[in-house]
Amino acid sequence: KAGVTQTPRYLIKTRGQQVTLSCSPISGHRSVSWYQQTPGQGLQFLFEYFSETQRNKGNFPGRFSGRQFSNSRSEMNVSTLELGDSALYLCASSLVRTSNTGELFFGEGSRLTVL
Amino acid sequence: AQTVTQSQPEMSVQEAETVTLSCTYDTSESDYYLFWYKQPPSRQMILVIRQEAYKQQNATENRFSVNFQKAAKSFSLKISDSQLGDAAMYFCAYRTPTEKLVFGKGTKLTVNP
């Protein structure tokens, strides 16, 4: 079974631009979560989607948005990029939202550099 | 708000030795789950071990075990017979059944041959 796939793996943008990152969960998984990882702040929760609905949201500005499609694939978008948005963006999927195992399966991440 | 603290930014251990990584958390919930995740260099994060708060018995997965002290809100990870492949960032994480996963800042583990 294929794992969580994130595209693109690396990208460079300039301030003010926008970016869209894509995540394909493990087949059959309906929940997708997004995390931002930086050396200074560590791993911070962005949002969680389940059955095309945002179920939970972290403390990020409105420039960060996301969506989930009927096939459970998810995208996140960051508009008006700032230097501080440079980070590794991780996507994780799980079978069901309230799984008592709480186990998330992570992708390898999309590394965004903002110049 | 729930917080997770890993007080050791870096740790090192000799191959075949035992090392313990510390984690404390803050919560007012009684029902929650705790996890240790491993992130090898340039590789994806994987689950190492998990513990349900209602279980008094400490979880064990092969060479990995935890010391869960609920009253002290402490959740340490012990790695026995350390191997070179154990070198990675280790993240402690907390989650309630319907909430997001909250991670600590991580501990970088180096395994010396």
Side-chain angles (χ1 to χ4, degrees):
Chain A
K1 183 183 279 191
V4 177
T5 304
Q6 293 188 245
T7 56
R9 291 290 314 282
Y10 303 91
L11 66 166
I12 300 174
K13 294 285 187 178
T14 56
R15 281 180 297 174
Q17 289 187 310
Q18 74 165 14
V19 65
T20 299
L21 309 178
S22 178
C23 173
S24 293
I26 292 173
S27 178
H29 284 196
R30 298 170 61 190
S31 174
V32 173
S33 300
W34 289 89
Y35 291 83
Q36 182 195 64
Q37 185 177 19
T38 60
Q41 298 299 316
L43 281 149
Q44 292 187 289
F45 172 78
L46 281 157
F47 22 66
E48 176 196 5
Y49 287 89
F50 181 78
S51 294
E52 302 177 65
T53 301
Q54 188 180 90
R55 299 293 184 169
N56 216 334
K57 190 176 190 302
N59 296 323
F60 279 82
R63 300 185 296 108
F64 291 81
S65 63
R67 58 179 175 171
Q68 186 180 33
F69 302 95
S70 58
N71 62 358
S72 294
R73 190 177 71 85
S74 177
E75 289 181 348
M76 68 162 283
N77 183 276
V78 187
S79 62
T80 319
L81 283 166
E82 301 177 359
L83 296 179
D85 297 333
S86 295
L88 180 67
Y89 290 87
L90 294 172
C91 169
S93 74
S94 61
L95 189 59
V96 294
R97 180 171 182 253
T98 56
S99 166
N100 62 4
T101 70
E103 181 170 2
L104 298 180
F105 295 82
F106 285 84
E108 294 183 322
S110 292
R111 185 166 295 281
L112 170 65
T113 301
V114 182
L115 302 177
Chain B
Q2 295 88 4
T3 58
V4 177
T5 302
Q6 293 179 248
S7 59
Q8 308 150 318
E10 296 188 27
M11 292 280 286
S12 64
V13 64
Q14 292 295 126
E15 198 174 2
E17 297 294 309
T18 295
V19 64
T20 298
L21 308 184
S22 300
C23 173
T24 58
Y25 58 95
D26 183 27
T27 183
S28 57
E29 301 286 340
S30 59
D31 184 20
Y32 52 88
Y33 308 93
L34 296 164
F35 309 87
W36 280 98
Y37 277 86
K38 169 186 177 182
Q39 187 179 39
S42 301
R43 295 182 62 186
Q44 61 206 116
M45 194 172 315
I46 58 173
L47 179 67
V48 174
I49 197 166
R50 60 176 170 260
Q51 174 83 42
E52 291 89 344
Y54 65 86
K55 290 186 177 179
Q56 293 185 333
Q57 187 173 9
N58 290 324
T60 298
E61 289 287 343
N62 301 315
R63 299 182 295 106
F64 299 86
S65 62
V66 299
N67 183 6
F68 174 48
Q69 302 288 330
K70 191 172 184 178
K73 297 180 182 175
S74 171
F75 183 61
S76 60
L77 174 69
K78 185 172 81 171
I79 306 174
S80 304
D81 185 26
S82 297
Q83 302 175 359
L84 295 178
D86 294 333
M89 284 291 291
Y90 285 82
F91 294 94
C92 178
Y94 160 97
R95 178 173 175 167
T96 61
T98 57
E99 291 293 328
K100 60 185 181 289
L101 203 61
V102 177
F103 288 89
K105 291 286 182 73
T107 296
K108 181 179 180 181
L109 178 66
T110 300
V111 181
N112 301 309

